[in-house]
Amino acid sequence: MKIVVLGSYQTKFGELWDKSLKDLIVEAGLGAIKDAGIKKKQIEVVFVANKLAGQLVEQNHLSALVAEQLDLSVPVIRIEAACASGGVAVAQACTSIYSGLYDCALVIGVEKMTDLAVDQIAAGLMTAASEPERQSGFSFVGLYALMAKKYLAQYGAEEKDLAWPAVKNHGHASLNPKAHLGFAISLEQVEKSSLIADPLRLMECSPVSDGAAALVLANKKIKAGKSSVYITASSMASMSLSLENRTSLTSIKSTQQAALQAYKQAGLGPQDLSLLEVHDCFSIAEILALEDLGICPQGEGFILERNGQLKLGGKSPVNVSGGLKACGHPVGATGVKQLVEVCQQLRREVGQRQVKGAKVGLTHNIGGTGGTAVVHILQR
Amino acid sequence: MKIVVLGSYQTKFGELWDKSLKDLIVEAGLGAIKDAGIKKKQIEVVFVANKLAGQLVEQNHLSALVAEQLDLSVPVIRIEAACASGGVAVAQACTSIYSGLYDCALVIGVEKMTDLAVDQIAAGLMTAASEPERQSGFSFVGLYALMAKKYLAQYGAEEKDLAWPAVKNHGHASLNPKAHLGFAISLEQVEKSSLIADPLRLMECSPVSDGAAALVLANKKIKAGKSSVYITASSMASMSLSLENRTSLTSIKSTQQAALQAYKQAGLGPQDLSLLEVHDCFSIAEILALEDLGICPQGEGFILERNGQLKLGGKSPVNVSGGLKACGHPVGATGVKQLVEVCQQLRREVGQRQVKGAKVGLTHNIGGTGGTAVVHILQR
């Protein structure tokens, strides 16, 4: 069964010091409902994606917070899957509609991160890694640096190749008024930025952002929505939390598994995609994603980046929103925002950054270093 | 569609200083799989319920932790709904089977709480309340004390009436080798225990516990399991997070709504229940639950407690496991454990605390002061 995307909404991403967790929930939730052109009482179930409100805002039990703030009494379910919380929440909303129990679901992804000190935020983020990784003093940029080091050695890529995804995604973000870092950067700027964890530099890392995104999903019984965008595949897979328990540092099996299932569900392949929103928390992550999603063979992702063929105007542009790198990465919101972007692209609503003739889009959202992976395919 | 309960398992509840979060996950997960008599590879999706590992064990992203520890690559979804996390996870597992995507689901509820200082645990627990409640200096016992005060005034109950649920549930727990506080207490002991938040006393509060519980749920395609226990109703509802936004302090609408739906789904009523496991985080909560679940009219729950008719041997015994009060309350595990108890009662496996001729059981799990409520009905 196809799921209809009735409505979508993204708040501005950024350091939103004047907006609370509640403000973001309400803006995104009501924004998506308004965009769908339905009445609030048509919402039968809500999924809310959030990773860190417990640690950073002292607020768990977001199910009841959402019910209260949106004045709803329907089931509300909070999903946490680290940086894949949003993708998993969308997948669960699809499952809930497949079940026949609900005709219409609201999904809200939200994260409020920037009001605290950097060490508190870093400690919160590291709860998505394993205990041995934390105890060894790793940060996430450190874990991804290990993967990047290995990748460079294994495939003969250069450090400069890690900069291309950042340059491209900032270029895209300069066309996105909702982006956290909506400005273009040059290769030289990336190369001159501080080395954070060798070989990854500051400008190859996604920022800490506040923000929310929301979707209204439904089956065909609900007559509303501006145009016909469908979710034709929704797929998830898991793998070990710790890098140490994996057989490869340069490919993420959970992404491969979720992608294979998704292509099968939608009855199409990587060659059919008009655009992709992939999980570029660090530049190396985008390169690995290209390979694991089957856009190119293993070890060749960096060549696609180098050739510039993933930019807006190319055959299958990647991260036209700006990606996590430049649109921003409010953790729980990210996976939902990816579908918001693809939905609005397929509806041809995004102005300057419109992918011409966009018909099929893929979203790819992972948690931690890939312990959870979610892939969705949308079509018009 | 009926959901078959193929397997169930509960770890010992208590201050388990020699067991980690991982240990509890593995023991419960493998325990339920073994009890179901299936192979691990038959599990197609996993739901893990947990409230506080992010704050208390620095561990979020339990989806990947579970995948790693149980060596699974299927979708794993972590649910957080405060003290209702377990019930919501069971409900989501049912939804996932209804969807037709999965034939067999594992649900694990787990919480590791007792390794930290009391103020850290208390701060963690309060993330399930609202921001105004936290800022006013409330604890959960304070919030429930407000409800208890109002109840006593409204219905002419006495402070002593708040002690009966605790006395009964400790009596039950003395027959449960898995209970955290497996000893009987007298009314006098409760009445002499410290006043924590007037009118609630220490022995009317559930303890802080470690523990896990797990279930294997399936549709009828999976041929396994010891005997036929079914989930015939699975229902959830939400209401405001804050007490201040409610019209009543002495009834919980979300429970009423979830119960009505559940009775309708199962095609039966409160009079048909052989036993109930209800959410007695504080003694007043059990009394309110009796009324909101329709076991008696509003304002008469305390009379049932006073009369002793809810004890093992009575018509519809309540909290034969010992309840949250005496079996213990490892938050994420509680809602799952309630179904484990009812399942094992319906299978006639619980020895001394067996409810004779048990055919129909209800579980009732709430988050916070009722912002989330979940009701399940099981039948043999």
Side-chain angles (χ1 to χ4, degrees), chain A residues 51 90 106 123 156 174 198 204 223 229 236 288 315 327 336 346:
Chain A
K51 178 183 173 191
V90 174
L106 174 65
S174 71
D198 183 17
E204 291 159 356
K223 302 295 174 203
V229 173
M236 277 182 65
L288 298 184
K315 186 174 167 283
C327 186
V336 181
L346 297 183

Side-chain angles (χ1 to χ4, degrees), chain A residues 261-328:
Chain A
Q261 287 170 358
Y263 292 135
K264 197 175 160 193
Q265 282 175 27
L268 48 76
Q271 71 285 353
D272 300 310
L273 303 173
S274 319
L275 75 156
L276 297 89
E277 288 283 314
V278 309
H279 198 93
D280 62 325
C281 47
F282 302 98
S283 53
I284 181 65
E286 177 169 311
I287 295 170
L288 298 184
L290 296 171
E291 302 175 6
D292 291 328
L293 293 168
I295 308 302
C296 63
Q298 294 291 322
E300 296 185 15
F302 75 97
I303 299 170
L304 266 56
E305 298 281 359
R306 196 188 274 178
N307 292 346
Q309 65 195 80
L310 307 171
K311 284 185 203 165
L312 186 60
K315 186 174 167 283
S316 295
V318 171
N319 285 330
V320 184
S321 70
L324 283 61
K325 173 65 198 88
C327 186

Side-chain angles (χ1 to χ4, degrees), chain A residues 60 68 78 80 127 238 242, chain B residues 60 68 74 78 80 127 242:
Chain A
N60 278 306
E68 176 177 285
R78 183 241 173 143
E80 184 274 318
T127 61
S238 307
S242 260
Chain B
N60 279 306
E68 176 176 286
V74 299
R78 183 244 174 138
E80 184 275 316
T127 62
S242 260

Side-chain angles (χ1 to χ4, degrees), chain B residues 50-230:
Chain B
N50 174 268
K51 178 183 174 190
L52 284 173
Q55 282 97 312
L56 302 185
V57 200
E58 294 179 61
Q59 189 64 67
N60 279 306
H61 204 193
L62 295 194
S63 48
L65 182 69
V66 166
E68 176 176 286
Q69 295 298 314
L70 297 182
D71 193 20
L72 291 169
S73 63
V74 299
V76 185
I77 298 108
R78 183 244 174 138
I79 302 288
E80 184 275 316
C83 304
S85 300
V88 175
V90 173
Q92 288 302 296
C94 291
T95 301
S96 77
I97 295 173
Y98 293 143
S99 76
L101 294 174
Y102 309 104
D103 293 328
C104 188
L106 174 65
V107 186
I108 302 174
V110 64
E111 207 78 52
K112 179 68 197 163
M113 306 183 76
T114 69
D115 290 351
L116 292 183
V118 133
D119 57 338
Q120 294 171 295
I121 300 170
L125 288 170
M126 281 310 290
T127 62
S130 73
E131 190 175 4
E133 287 166 345
R134 281 195 300 280
Q135 289 179 342
S136 310
F138 269 103
S139 60
F140 267 107
V141 59
L143 292 167
Y144 274 94
L146 277 183
M147 299 160 86
K149 273 263 183 205
K150 177 76 181 169
Y151 185 91
L152 298 184
Q154 191 166 339
Y155 297 118
E158 298 169 25
E159 285 194 25
K160 180 184 288 193
D161 291 314
L162 298 171
W164 291 117
V167 174
K168 167 177 65 68
N169 294 344
H170 268 270
H172 291 160
S174 71
L175 307 174
N176 185 353
K178 299 283 181 74
H180 183 172
L181 305 173
F183 51 83
I185 56 173
S186 67
L187 189 73
E188 293 66 36
Q189 281 177 296
V190 180
E191 288 187 295
K192 282 183 189 162
S193 67
S194 314
L195 197 60
I196 303 293
D198 184 15
L200 294 175
R201 294 180 179 274
L202 178 65
M203 287 195 181
E204 290 159 356
C205 305
S206 58
V208 170
S209 315
D210 304 321
L215 292 164
V216 175
L217 305 180
N219 59 24
K220 291 199 167 180
K221 288 185 198 162
I222 308 290
K223 302 296 174 202
K226 290 184 198 167
S227 68
S228 303
V229 173
Y230 302 97

Side-chain angles (χ1 to χ4, degrees), chain A residues 151-347:
Chain A
Y151 185 90
L152 298 184
Q154 190 166 340
Y155 296 119
E158 298 169 24
E159 285 194 24
K160 182 184 285 192
D161 291 314
L162 298 172
W164 290 118
V167 174
K168 168 178 65 66
N169 294 345
H170 268 270
H172 292 161
S174 71
L175 308 174
N176 185 353
K178 299 282 181 75
H180 182 172
L181 305 173
F183 51 83
I185 57 174
S186 67
L187 189 72
E188 293 65 36
Q189 281 178 293
V190 180
E191 288 187 295
K192 281 184 189 162
S193 68
S194 314
L195 197 61
I196 303 294
D198 183 17
L200 295 174
R201 292 178 180 276
L202 178 66
M203 286 195 181
E204 291 159 356
C205 306
S206 57
V208 170
S209 314
D210 304 321
L215 293 164
V216 175
L217 306 180
N219 58 24
K220 292 198 166 180
K221 287 185 198 162
I222 308 290
K223 302 295 174 203
K226 291 182 195 168
S227 68
S228 302
V229 173
Y230 302 97
I231 297 177
T232 55
S234 174
S235 176
M236 277 182 65
S238 307
M239 68 188 298
S240 73
L241 185 62
S242 260
L243 279 189
E244 64 179 335
N245 294 325
R246 305 201 188 157
T247 52
S248 169
L249 285 177
T250 55
S251 65
I252 294 179
K253 257 193 199 163
S254 55
T255 294
Q256 294 173 348
Q257 189 178 327
L260 269 179
Q261 287 170 358
Y263 292 135
K264 197 175 160 193
Q265 282 175 27
L268 48 76
Q271 71 285 353
D272 300 310
L273 303 173
S274 319
L275 75 156
L276 297 89
E277 288 283 314
V278 309
H279 198 93
D280 62 325
C281 47
F282 302 98
S283 53
I284 181 65
E286 177 169 311
I287 295 170
L288 298 184
L290 296 171
E291 302 175 6
D292 291 328
L293 293 168
I295 308 302
C296 63
Q298 294 291 322
E300 296 185 15
F302 75 97
I303 299 170
L304 266 56
E305 298 281 359
R306 196 188 274 178
N307 292 346
Q309 65 195 80
L310 307 171
K311 284 185 203 165
L312 186 60
K315 186 174 167 283
S316 295
V318 171
N319 285 330
V320 184
S321 70
L324 283 61
K325 173 65 198 88
C327 186
H329 185 25
V331 176
T334 285
V336 181
K337 173 234 125 186
Q338 293 178 323
L339 278 100
V340 169
E341 174 70 16
V342 172
C343 169
Q344 295 180 356
Q345 285 278 354
L346 297 183
R347 284 183 180 175

